[in-house]
Amino acid sequence: MPQRRRKEGKENMIKVGIIGSTGYAGQELVRILLGHKDAEIVWYGSRSYIDKRYADVYRNMFELVDAACMDDNMEELSKRADVIFTATPQGFLASAVSEDILGRSRIIDLSADFRIKDVAVYEKWYNMEHKSPQFIKEAVYGLCEVNREKIKDARLIANPGCYPTCSVLSVYPLVKEGYLDLSTLIIDAKSGTSGAGRGAKVDNLYCEVNENIKAYGVTTHRHTPEIEEQLSIAAGSPVILSFTPHLVPMNRGILVTAYASLSKRADYEELKAVYDHYYAGERFVRVLERNICPETRFVEGSNYVDVNFRIDERTNRVVMMGAMDNLVKGAAGQAVQNMNLMFGLPECEGLELVPMVP
Amino acid sequence: MPQRRRKEGKENMIKVGIIGSTGYAGQELVRILLGHKDAEIVWYGSRSYIDKRYADVYRNMFELVDAACMDDNMEELSKRADVIFTATPQGFLASAVSEDILGRSRIIDLSADFRIKDVAVYEKWYNMEHKSPQFIKEAVYGLCEVNREKIKDARLIANPGCYPTCSVLSVYPLVKEGYLDLSTLIIDAKSGTSGAGRGAKVDNLYCEVNENIKAYGVTTHRHTPEIEEQLSIAAGSPVILSFTPHLVPMNRGILVTAYASLSKRADYEELKAVYDHYYAGERFVRVLERNICPETRFVEGSNYVDVNFRIDERTNRVVMMGAMDNLVKGAAGQAVQNMNLMFGLPECEGLELVPMVP
Amino acid sequence: MPQRRRKEGKENMIKVGIIGSTGYAGQELVRILLGHKDAEIVWYGSRSYIDKRYADVYRNMFELVDAACMDDNMEELSKRADVIFTATPQGFLASAVSEDILGRSRIIDLSADFRIKDVAVYEKWYNMEHKSPQFIKEAVYGLCEVNREKIKDARLIANPGCYPTCSVLSVYPLVKEGYLDLSTLIIDAKSGTSGAGRGAKVDNLYCEVNENIKAYGVTTHRHTPEIEEQLSIAAGSPVILSFTPHLVPMNRGILVTAYASLSKRADYEELKAVYDHYYAGERFVRVLERNICPETRFVEGSNYVDVNFRIDERTNRVVMMGAMDNLVKGAAGQAVQNMNLMFGLPECEGLELVPMVP
Amino acid sequence: MPQRRRKEGKENMIKVGIIGSTGYAGQELVRILLGHKDAEIVWYGSRSYIDKRYADVYRNMFELVDAACMDDNMEELSKRADVIFTATPQGFLASAVSEDILGRSRIIDLSADFRIKDVAVYEKWYNMEHKSPQFIKEAVYGLCEVNREKIKDARLIANPGCYPTCSVLSVYPLVKEGYLDLSTLIIDAKSGTSGAGRGAKVDNLYCEVNENIKAYGVTTHRHTPEIEEQLSIAAGSPVILSFTPHLVPMNRGILVTAYASLSKRADYEELKAVYDHYYAGERFVRVLERNICPETRFVEGSNYVDVNFRIDERTNRVVMMGAMDNLVKGAAGQAVQNMNLMFGLPECEGLELVPMVP
């Protein structure tokens, strides 16, 4: 019973620690958790801003958060928190996690450390040695719509990457039901700039990003093997695909446009029924109506993924699309969704965020 | 007792009608009220989209709002709603309001029809005849921080304009306490583009607004007399000022930079104490710390106004600044704040929106 | 000898008429031609702004253009101009052109009226009857890099569409040389908002476009058959492909990301040599260096198309990319390039525009 | 005769060296000078990118600039160049300049080192010791419209700051002719983000600047004393004013909104005549027509300053406005204008840039 694991505290709140709380995903965790009635943040970890008031880093939090930033001492934190979110660079959690820590706190990792089951694949694409391969098998890939039951009992959640979340959910029903010739699958993705993080790099300056679009990581982006692994599991056979991300001049949002040849003839109604079968009961996946294309603005600030598809009879392809807020469903929102599942709360607690337009 | 006036319905919710629900301010009302636990929207009025599903106009509302748009029949609406929000063009409510309607429903008007007490001033600046001058006296100017008590009992609220809300709150304490030479007051304001509305005009096209800043309505903007009237009341003597709005390439946000000569010597601590005196108990006005300038991004999506000031000893002027989301505190949020006051609810019900960054 | 056809006037300048001069492409023609030393605009046609000063529509032209807007009388215009640019809606030129007009003036049409050789294809995709099919055969598709010689003697130029220009030039060398399995060709394109035109539509308002990305015209966009026809000519066999455009929150720029399976093994050096073979002598096509991805900001304001490709050995695909300013090389710049060819001028006259960063 | 001072080279071109060529202003110099028919860049100085190809830093320059970046050795550079542009941090040129260098090359300094005549004022506002006060007197403030004759013979030009250029030109005629009560002068300025430079700072990241407006440097911005000094010269008496800059989410552009009380009654025609008197012959200052407000988009990419004013009879104030591209007239364009004057060339050579819209 997860609830029993909660630390002592006022009103039996879930005690939450965040490592990396001053990155964009970390701050989004704070934003969401401030509206979560069963959770309380007890540790605002930020290596770069130790002892600085959190509200001096993010002034939107003035009068909302009084705490100062803490270090990333996982040992100590695990004694105080029921759950730890690590919104950290690759490799941090793999270096810091231990059986002791996992014995005291559940961990939801927003980095890629435990997403990929094949450690060799991880080490090749991320170009670093994995420091804790012994926990990979236990870690549950936290895509709630797919792995809901496993998540409930997990100690260690690998929160999915932003592109993989949107990519997998956009194509999952048709992959799972065998409608696609998987050798033809191509995913062309577009992301807002918050996905690039808050590091002070010339490439991410306003004047370098604004009024521009570019592809990056072409054929080499690290989210490729993560998408492939998840779709291979869904398909029951290995999937190799093309994935190309692009940087778009906007703060938030990911749009996925995926292409594949149909492996069998199917009309709109048939494919729509497949999508509805998988997602009709899902609170956070909206299957749009016929001919409506997902747009990132219609999910901004919310935990929704909007998906749809269109059959191209001329080419026998289906074009599958998905739109999502990369910081919410693609990071912090999904992490809280995982937390809710792990602690026996309603899955949408704290996540009933209406998309903000304009 | 306002609560008694609620129409029959499930769970004793406040029944809300919105006229002009498909404009940006109207839609923001919908966004906020969907998260309000004591209110229920029963009428999505939109003259342009009658019978069209609301979620087909604003796709962010897919699966959140099932209703279709209704007309602007205030007679009928007043029989179904406890409160009516009119987010309509100038002149609509003045033409539509009646004693009968006000006898059945309270009205919160987001237009300018009842903001200005001197009907001659209204008719001159708005260049139209006022169709219901008999209700002007009764109408309460809904700036909650100033008129809280009167709002509670009002039947008709004139919800303040976006620029006036930010302008008045930025300078109010120093005006009220007589620190400013009011003949020197200049307000230079900057607004995001949602303030220009959702009308299909060439001037508001993406490519006309993007990568540009301009002043508009110089010396003639209609919010000038509204600001002057409110500050005259605060000062106890007539205030004539310069007000210049600018259009900024962003969706949301108003920033006010106001200048005035000090009428008496004062240091930072003294003026800070004045601001704190007026706003320390205010949930939605944040007086920033020394030397911190308000920024619109730190209030985006929330009902906050962030204010601060800086003394310029070289010129003996004080520069007062305020930042606000024009659609929330400048329109829909303040309207809901008024509703909360009118119906005896906690003032911040439905408005505990954490500013969304980035 | 084209030069002989010039109308009388000061300094033997080419007399230019523009129909549709107040659209974004029309105005870009004005911007470019003001810097062209051998051309002079004698007719600023604009049905919407007849008799209004051009500089009152586009205030950047204050003190640069004194003329008032004229109607779209092609008969009269053809008596005054050596060349007419029609930057008009579909169907205008097909309705207006005649042998008489073409006998007096050359025409460069920026609409789609004469781009597609198969009139049945045109009528199907554009959903309108073609009013002048008799001129389709004569019209030359004005993609300078491909049809340079034919352009020189043409009376009627079909200036290529923005997406087709960028798409075709990005993949042309590999298509022409048979490196691609053309049944696998997918083009995912992204455009700035000026491509949507200057019409007053809600969908193109700042607040609807900003902070958003979406696909549109999925499987149905009218540029699809134009791209297919040009690539079919290059390949020597019919090409059917998937083309998906997206709307990006920026003023200018098109980025194309194209995917195809290699039909034969080839390494980087081999494919690079193919691109260089076709483009080494081309002033306005830049084949970027290895692993450098095209970005729209690096061509903004200029007539360049930047292209590159990357081989994905895992999938045996090649990813081909191109970036271009949709208003220059995708419209007005290419139109002037065509004019230069037609009048025996240096191809880059008036087009030596250095891309403007940032 | 300046022309005589040109170094040997092909076609008697002016040899230009740029220190700081990889900043935004430095790169804009490159963009402009590539289109200048009498100048040739012989030195692309960039401390950060020594030996890196310039076109690898700014890929818009691919195939346009072959050179690699050089260091900032002014001694050596002065032997090769007729004129040196220093687009460098404060203090660089004051540390590097010498009589020897000035004996060989003219210098146009885009930093603030030699803009302020009173060295004590400089040292106070810039908080650094001035290393070469002996050259301050000789340096000519390079505001061409005001100091044209002195510029022609100068060895050392202090190219005006971006805010001061726009501020001074917006108010100059009325200051000079005594129409303003200078004790009431307030300048509220708004700038695009390229003015913040290309340094890798968190504050300038896309996600920190986008969808935001803020004031900064309130009462303390370093351009204040520069504006005051220039206006004091114009007025013939000391001017102390309020200057507040704001950061706007756009790449380029400065808008100035200035307020002052009229010191004598005057109507529109009278003040318009004053502006026309000063600017009618000025190629790069456009006095707009009645009631037209300057907008930054209408000068983008060009060397224009658009100015206008509006009298507010209610307050007896005049609101003066100016719009300018901060990188052109506010930096590189004005620097080239100075170069043209210094070398006896037509003042607009290389600067006939038509503003780019949209």
Side-chain angles (χ1 to χ4, degrees):
Chain A
M1 299 282 284
Q3 289 83 337
R4 269 187 256 142
R5 298 183 65 254
R6 295 189 199 168
K7 300 289 183 289
E8 301 282 308
K10 69 165 194 237
E11 295 168 30
N12 204 28
M13 301 283 268
I14 301 170
K15 305 287 185 203
V16 174
I18 303 171
I19 305 289
S21 67
T22 55
Y24 291 138
Q27 189 262 162
E28 188 72 354
L29 276 167
V30 175
R31 179 177 81 93
I32 292 172
L33 290 170
L34 287 177
H36 193 294
K37 66 181 171 57
D38 294 318
E40 174 190 16
I41 303 172
V42 299
W43 187 292
Y44 293 83
S46 174
R47 199 183 298 184
S48 312
Y49 295 104
I50 294 172
D51 291 340
K52 188 161 185 174
R53 288 191 316 167
Y54 191 77
D56 285 342
V57 183
Y58 282 101
R59 296 194 187 282
N60 53 321
M61 299 302 180
F62 183 57
E63 297 188 357
L64 288 168
V65 177
D66 286 334
C69 294
M70 311 278 283
D71 62 21
D72 51 12
N73 183 337
M74 294 279 288
E75 276 292 333
E76 179 59 26
L77 170 52
S78 65
K79 292 171 188 162
R80 303 198 201 167
D82 301 300
V83 60
I84 300 170
F85 294 92
T86 46
T88 42
Q90 311 313 331
F92 170 81
L93 185 62
S95 295
V97 71
S98 69
E99 187 56 42
D100 273 5
I101 290 170
L102 275 175
R104 290 191 290 264
S105 286
R106 287 167 158 196
I107 297 176
I108 299 171
D109 180 29
L110 282 75
S111 87
D113 284 7
F114 294 96
R115 291 178 192 158
I116 293 175
K117 292 299 173 194
D118 184 334
V119 69
V121 170
Y122 176 90
E123 294 187 339
K124 179 181 152 211
W125 285 80
Y126 284 86
N127 199 27
M128 56 168 67
E129 185 193 356
H130 199 295
K131 300 290 193 184
S132 295
Q134 69 275 23
F135 294 112
I136 293 178
K137 184 149 185 286
E138 170 183 359
V140 174
Y141 189 75
L143 189 61
C144 308
E145 288 74 13
V146 172
N147 295 327
R148 182 168 287 115
E149 292 311 311
K150 288 187 205 159
I151 290 163
K152 292 179 180 172
D153 298 321
R155 296 195 302 175
L156 173 56
I157 293 288
N159 205 58
C162 52
Y163 286 123
T165 296
C166 198
S167 299
V168 172
L169 290 175
S170 296
V171 307
Y172 185 81
L174 300 190
V175 169
K176 186 78 177 170
E177 294 299 317
Y179 278 91
L180 305 182
D181 174 353
L182 292 169
S183 71
T184 66
L185 186 56
I186 289 170
I187 296 174
D188 190 287
K190 298 88 178 168
S191 176
T193 304
S194 58
R198 201 166 173 258
K201 296 176 188 167
V202 168
D203 279 353
N204 296 336
L205 291 177
Y206 183 83
C207 289
E208 308 288 313
V209 171
N210 190 37
E211 296 295 295
N212 188 41
I213 183 167
K214 67 174 177 182
Y216 65 100
V218 180
T219 76
T220 63
H221 193 277
R222 292 165 168 191
H223 282 170
T224 310
E226 183 180 339
I227 301 169
E228 288 178 346
E229 189 173 281
Q230 292 305 314
L231 294 183
S232 297
I233 294 168
S237 63
V239 174
I240 305 290
L241 52 77
S242 292
F243 170 70
T244 311
H246 298 76
L247 189 67
V248 179
M250 58 186 194
N251 284 345
R252 290 167 177 248
I254 281 182
L255 183 75
V256 156
T257 314
Y259 303 86
S261 298
L262 284 167
S263 57
K264 45 187 171 186
R265 278 278 159 200
D267 62 9
Y268 170 77
E269 286 72 17
E270 184 173 345
L271 297 192
K272 178 63 158 57
V274 173
Y275 273 93
D276 285 342
H277 171 71
Y278 280 88
Y279 295 141
E282 290 297 340
R283 175 71 167 77
F284 295 121
V285 183
R286 302 192 291 196
V287 182
L288 302 185
E289 294 176 339
R290 190 167 192 162
N291 292 346
I292 304 300
C293 291
E295 307 189 25
T296 60
R297 62 178 167 145
F298 291 138
V299 295
E300 188 175 336
S302 83
N303 202 46
Y304 288 113
V305 184
D306 283 359
V307 299
N308 211 349
F309 67 93
R310 187 145 182 165
I311 297 168
D312 185 2
E313 296 183 352
R314 300 170 62 252
T315 61
N316 192 38
R317 289 195 187 101
V318 59
V319 184
M320 295 153 285
M321 294 166 280
M324 182 192 81
D325 186 321
N326 58 304
L327 292 180
V328 190
K329 183 62 177 172
Q334 183 150 260
V336 171
Q337 194 180 353
N338 276 308
M339 181 190 81
N340 288 340
L341 287 170
M342 294 162 88
F343 286 85
L345 301 170
E347 193 167 331
C348 62
E349 175 55 39
L351 295 171
E352 302 199 80
L353 306 158
V354 181
M356 191 168 87
V357 169
Chain B
M1 299 279 284
Q3 289 83 339
R4 270 188 254 140
R5 297 184 64 254
R6 295 188 199 169
K7 302 287 183 292
E8 300 281 309
K10 68 166 196 233
E11 295 167 32
N12 205 28
M13 301 282 268
I14 301 170
K15 306 289 184 203
V16 174
I18 305 171
I19 305 290
S21 67
T22 55
Y24 291 138
Q27 189 263 161
E28 189 72 354
L29 276 167
V30 176
R31 180 177 81 93
I32 291 171
L33 290 170
L34 287 179
H36 193 293
K37 66 182 171 54
D38 295 317
E40 175 190 16
I41 303 171
V42 299
W43 188 292
Y44 293 83
S46 174
R47 197 183 300 182
S48 311
Y49 294 103
I50 294 173
D51 292 340
K52 189 162 183 173
R53 288 192 314 168
Y54 191 77
D56 285 343
V57 182
Y58 281 101
R59 297 194 185 283
N60 53 321
M61 298 303 180
F62 184 57
E63 297 188 356
L64 288 168
V65 177
D66 286 333
C69 293
M70 311 279 282
D71 61 22
D72 51 12
N73 184 336
M74 293 278 289
E75 277 292 331
E76 178 60 26
L77 170 51
S78 66
K79 294 171 186 161
R80 303 198 202 168
D82 300 301
V83 61
I84 299 170
F85 294 93
T86 46
T88 43
Q90 311 314 331
F92 170 82
L93 185 62
S95 295
V97 72
S98 70
E99 185 58 40
D100 273 4
I101 290 170
L102 275 175
R104 290 191 290 262
S105 287
R106 288 168 156 195
I107 296 177
I108 300 172
D109 180 29
L110 282 76
S111 87
D113 283 7
F114 294 96
R115 290 177 192 158
I116 294 177
K117 292 297 174 195
D118 185 333
V119 68
V121 170
Y122 176 89
E123 294 187 339
K124 179 180 152 212
W125 286 80
Y126 285 86
N127 198 28
M128 57 167 69
E129 184 192 357
H130 198 295
K131 300 290 192 184
S132 296
Q134 70 274 24
F135 294 112
I136 293 179
K137 184 151 185 281
E138 169 182 0
V140 174
Y141 189 76
L143 189 61
C144 309
E145 288 74 13
V146 172
N147 294 328
R148 182 169 285 116
E149 292 311 311
K150 289 187 203 158
I151 290 164
K152 291 179 181 173
D153 298 321
R155 294 195 304 174
L156 173 56
I157 293 286
N159 206 58
C162 52
Y163 286 124
T165 297
C166 198
S167 298
V168 172
L169 291 175
S170 296
V171 308
Y172 186 80
L174 299 191
V175 170
K176 186 79 177 168
E177 294 299 317
Y179 278 93
L180 305 183
D181 174 352
L182 292 168
S183 71
T184 66
L185 185 56
I186 290 170
I187 296 176
D188 189 287
K190 298 91 178 167
S191 175
T193 304
S194 58
R198 199 165 172 260
K201 297 176 188 163
V202 167
D203 279 354
N204 296 337
L205 292 177
Y206 183 83
C207 289
E208 307 288 313
V209 171
N210 190 38
E211 296 296 294
N212 188 42
I213 184 165
K214 64 173 178 185
Y216 64 99
V218 180
T219 75
T220 64
H221 194 278
R222 293 165 167 187
H223 283 168
T224 310
E226 183 180 340
I227 300 169
E228 288 178 345
E229 189 173 281
Q230 293 305 314
L231 294 183
S232 297
I233 295 168
S237 63
V239 174
I240 305 290
L241 52 78
S242 293
F243 171 69
T244 310
H246 298 75
L247 188 68
V248 180
M250 58 185 193
N251 285 343
R252 291 168 178 248
I254 281 181
L255 184 74
V256 156
T257 313
Y259 304 85
S261 297
L262 284 167
S263 56
K264 45 186 170 187
R265 279 278 159 199
D267 62 10
Y268 170 77
E269 286 72 18
E270 183 173 345
L271 297 192
K272 178 63 159 56
V274 173
Y275 273 93
D276 285 341
H277 171 71
Y278 279 89
Y279 294 142
E282 290 297 340
R283 174 73 168 76
F284 294 121
V285 183
R286 302 192 292 196
V287 182
L288 302 185
E289 294 176 339
R290 189 167 194 162
N291 292 345
I292 304 299
C293 291
E295 308 190 24
T296 60
R297 63 177 167 145
F298 291 138
V299 295
E300 188 176 336
S302 83
N303 202 46
Y304 289 113
V305 183
D306 283 0
V307 300
N308 211 349
F309 67 92
R310 188 148 181 162
I311 297 169
D312 185 2
E313 297 184 351
R314 299 169 63 251
T315 61
N316 191 39
R317 290 196 186 100
V318 59
V319 185
M320 296 153 285
M321 293 165 282
M324 181 191 82
D325 186 322
N326 58 305
L327 293 180
V328 190
K329 183 62 176 172
Q334 183 150 259
V336 171
Q337 194 179 353
N338 276 307
M339 181 191 81
N340 289 339
L341 287 170
M342 294 163 88
F343 288 84
L345 301 171
E347 192 167 332
C348 62
E349 175 55 39
L351 295 172
E352 302 198 80
L353 306 158
V354 180
M356 191 166 87
V357 169
Chain C
M1 301 279 285
Q3 289 83 341
R4 266 186 257 140
R5 298 183 65 254
R6 296 187 197 169
K7 301 288 184 290
E8 301 280 309
K10 68 167 194 226
E11 296 168 30
N12 204 29
M13 301 282 268
I14 301 171
K15 305 288 184 204
V16 174
I18 303 172
I19 305 290
S21 66
T22 56
Y24 291 138
Q27 190 260 162
E28 189 72 355
L29 275 168
V30 175
R31 180 178 81 94
I32 292 172
L33 290 170
L34 287 177
H36 193 293
K37 66 182 171 54
D38 295 317
E40 175 190 15
I41 302 172
V42 298
W43 187 292
Y44 292 84
S46 174
R47 200 183 298 182
S48 311
Y49 295 104
I50 294 173
D51 291 340
K52 187 162 185 173
R53 287 191 316 168
Y54 191 78
D56 284 342
V57 183
Y58 282 101
R59 296 193 187 282
N60 53 322
M61 298 303 180
F62 184 58
E63 297 190 354
L64 288 168
V65 177
D66 287 332
C69 294
M70 311 280 282
D71 61 22
D72 51 11
N73 184 336
M74 292 279 288
E75 277 292 330
E76 178 59 26
L77 170 52
S78 66
K79 292 171 187 161
R80 303 198 203 167
D82 300 301
V83 61
I84 300 170
F85 294 93
T86 47
T88 44
Q90 310 314 330
F92 170 81
L93 185 61
S95 295
V97 70
S98 70
E99 185 58 38
D100 273 5
I101 291 169
L102 276 175
R104 289 191 291 263
S105 285
R106 288 168 156 193
I107 296 177
I108 299 171
D109 180 29
L110 282 75
S111 87
D113 284 8
F114 295 97
R115 290 178 192 158
I116 293 177
K117 292 299 174 191
D118 185 333
V119 69
V121 170
Y122 176 89
E123 294 187 340
K124 180 181 152 212
W125 286 79
Y126 285 86
N127 198 29
M128 57 167 68
E129 184 192 356
H130 199 295
K131 300 291 192 184
S132 296
Q134 70 274 21
F135 295 112
I136 294 179
K137 184 151 185 284
E138 170 183 359
V140 174
Y141 189 76
L143 189 61
C144 308
E145 288 74 14
V146 171
N147 294 327
R148 183 168 286 117
E149 292 310 311
K150 288 186 203 158
I151 290 163
K152 291 179 180 174
D153 297 321
R155 295 196 303 175
L156 173 56
I157 293 287
N159 206 57
C162 52
Y163 286 123
T165 297
C166 197
S167 298
V168 172
L169 291 175
S170 295
V171 307
Y172 185 81
L174 299 190
V175 170
K176 185 80 178 169
E177 295 298 317
Y179 277 92
L180 305 182
D181 174 352
L182 292 169
S183 71
T184 66
L185 185 57
I186 289 170
I187 295 174
D188 190 285
K190 298 91 178 167
S191 176
T193 304
S194 58
R198 198 164 173 260
K201 298 177 186 163
V202 167
D203 279 353
N204 295 337
L205 291 177
Y206 183 82
C207 289
E208 307 288 312
V209 171
N210 190 37
E211 295 296 295
N212 187 42
I213 184 166
K214 66 174 177 183
Y216 65 100
V218 179
T219 75
T220 64
H221 194 278
R222 291 165 169 190
H223 283 169
T224 310
E226 182 181 338
I227 300 169
E228 288 179 344
E229 188 173 282
Q230 292 305 314
L231 294 183
S232 297
I233 294 169
S237 63
V239 173
I240 305 290
L241 52 78
S242 293
F243 171 70
T244 311
H246 298 75
L247 189 67
V248 180
M250 58 185 193
N251 285 344
R252 291 168 177 245
I254 281 182
L255 184 74
V256 156
T257 315
Y259 303 85
S261 298
L262 284 167
S263 56
K264 46 187 172 187
R265 280 273 159 202
D267 62 10
Y268 169 77
E269 285 74 17
E270 184 173 344
L271 297 192
K272 178 62 157 59
V274 173
Y275 273 93
D276 285 342
H277 171 71
Y278 280 88
Y279 294 142
E282 290 296 340
R283 175 70 168 77
F284 294 121
V285 184
R286 302 192 291 195
V287 182
L288 302 185
E289 294 176 340
R290 190 167 193 162
N291 293 345
I292 304 299
C293 291
E295 307 189 25
T296 60
R297 63 178 167 145
F298 292 138
V299 295
E300 189 176 335
S302 83
N303 202 46
Y304 288 113
V305 184
D306 283 359
V307 300
N308 211 349
F309 67 93
R310 188 146 181 163
I311 297 168
D312 185 1
E313 296 185 352
R314 298 170 63 252
T315 61
N316 192 38
R317 288 194 189 102
V318 60
V319 184
M320 295 153 285
M321 294 166 279
M324 182 191 82
D325 186 321
N326 58 304
L327 292 181
V328 190
K329 183 62 178 175
Q334 183 150 259
V336 171
Q337 193 179 354
N338 277 306
M339 180 190 82
N340 289 339
L341 287 170
M342 294 163 88
F343 286 84
L345 301 170
E347 192 167 332
C348 60
E349 174 55 40
L351 295 171
E352 301 198 80
L353 306 157
V354 180
M356 192 167 87
V357 170
Chain D
M1 300 278 286
Q3 289 83 340
R4 269 188 253 138
R5 298 183 64 255
R6 296 189 199 168
K7 300 289 185 289
E8 301 280 310
K10 67 164 195 236
E11 296 167 28
N12 204 29
M13 301 283 268
I14 301 170
K15 305 290 185 203
V16 174
I18 304 171
I19 305 290
S21 67
T22 56
Y24 291 138
Q27 190 262 163
E28 189 72 353
L29 276 168
V30 175
R31 180 177 81 93
I32 292 172
L33 290 171
L34 288 178
H36 194 294
K37 66 182 171 52
D38 295 318
E40 176 190 15
I41 303 171
V42 299
W43 187 291
Y44 292 84
S46 174
R47 200 183 296 184
S48 310
Y49 294 104
I50 294 172
D51 291 340
K52 188 162 184 173
R53 286 191 318 166
Y54 191 77
D56 285 342
V57 182
Y58 282 101
R59 295 192 187 285
N60 54 322
M61 298 302 180
F62 184 57
E63 298 190 356
L64 288 168
V65 177
D66 288 332
C69 294
M70 311 279 282
D71 62 22
D72 52 11
N73 183 336
M74 293 279 288
E75 278 291 331
E76 178 59 24
L77 169 52
S78 66
K79 292 170 187 160
R80 302 198 204 169
D82 301 301
V83 61
I84 299 170
F85 294 93
T86 47
T88 43
Q90 311 313 333
F92 171 81
L93 185 62
S95 295
V97 71
S98 69
E99 186 57 41
D100 273 4
I101 290 170
L102 276 175
R104 289 191 291 264
S105 286
R106 288 167 156 195
I107 296 177
I108 299 171
D109 180 29
L110 281 76
S111 86
D113 283 6
F114 294 97
R115 291 178 191 157
I116 294 176
K117 292 298 173 195
D118 184 333
V119 68
V121 171
Y122 176 90
E123 293 187 340
K124 178 180 154 213
W125 286 79
Y126 285 86
N127 199 26
M128 56 167 70
E129 183 192 358
H130 198 297
K131 300 291 192 184
S132 295
Q134 71 274 23
F135 294 112
I136 293 178
K137 184 148 185 284
E138 169 183 1
V140 173
Y141 189 75
L143 189 61
C144 308
E145 288 75 12
V146 172
N147 295 328
R148 182 168 285 117
E149 293 311 311
K150 288 187 204 156
I151 290 164
K152 291 179 180 175
D153 298 321
R155 294 196 304 176
L156 173 56
I157 294 287
N159 205 56
C162 51
Y163 286 123
T165 297
C166 196
S167 299
V168 172
L169 291 175
S170 296
V171 307
Y172 186 80
L174 299 190
V175 170
K176 185 80 178 168
E177 295 298 317
Y179 278 92
L180 305 182
D181 174 352
L182 291 168
S183 71
T184 67
L185 184 56
I186 290 171
I187 296 174
D188 190 286
K190 299 89 178 168
S191 175
T193 305
S194 58
R198 199 165 173 257
K201 297 177 187 165
V202 167
D203 279 353
N204 296 337
L205 291 178
Y206 183 83
C207 289
E208 307 288 313
V209 171
N210 191 37
E211 296 295 295
N212 188 42
I213 184 166
K214 66 174 177 184
Y216 65 99
V218 180
T219 75
T220 63
H221 193 277
R222 294 166 168 190
H223 283 169
T224 310
E226 182 181 339
I227 300 169
E228 289 178 344
E229 188 173 283
Q230 292 305 314
L231 294 183
S232 297
I233 294 169
S237 63
V239 174
I240 304 291
L241 52 79
S242 292
F243 171 70
T244 310
H246 298 76
L247 188 67
V248 180
M250 58 185 193
N251 285 343
R252 290 168 178 247
I254 281 181
L255 184 74
V256 156
T257 314
Y259 304 86
S261 299
L262 284 167
S263 56
K264 46 187 171 187
R265 278 276 161 202
D267 61 11
Y268 170 77
E269 285 72 18
E270 183 174 344
L271 297 192
K272 178 64 157 58
V274 173
Y275 273 93
D276 285 342
H277 171 71
Y278 280 89
Y279 294 143
E282 289 297 341
R283 175 71 169 79
F284 295 121
V285 184
R286 301 191 293 195
V287 182
L288 301 185
E289 294 176 339
R290 190 167 192 163
N291 292 346
I292 304 299
C293 291
E295 307 189 25
T296 61
R297 63 176 167 146
F298 291 138
V299 295
E300 187 175 336
S302 82
N303 202 46
Y304 289 112
V305 184
D306 283 359
V307 300
N308 211 350
F309 66 92
R310 189 146 181 162
I311 297 169
D312 186 1
E313 296 184 352
R314 299 170 62 252
T315 61
N316 191 37
R317 288 195 188 102
V318 59
V319 184
M320 296 152 284
M321 293 166 280
M324 181 192 80
D325 186 322
N326 59 304
L327 293 180
V328 189
K329 183 62 178 173
Q334 183 150 261
V336 171
Q337 192 180 354
N338 276 307
M339 181 190 82
N340 288 339
L341 287 169
M342 294 163 88
F343 286 85
L345 301 170
E347 192 167 331
C348 61
E349 175 56 38
L351 294 171
E352 301 199 80
L353 305 158
V354 180
M356 192 166 87
V357 170

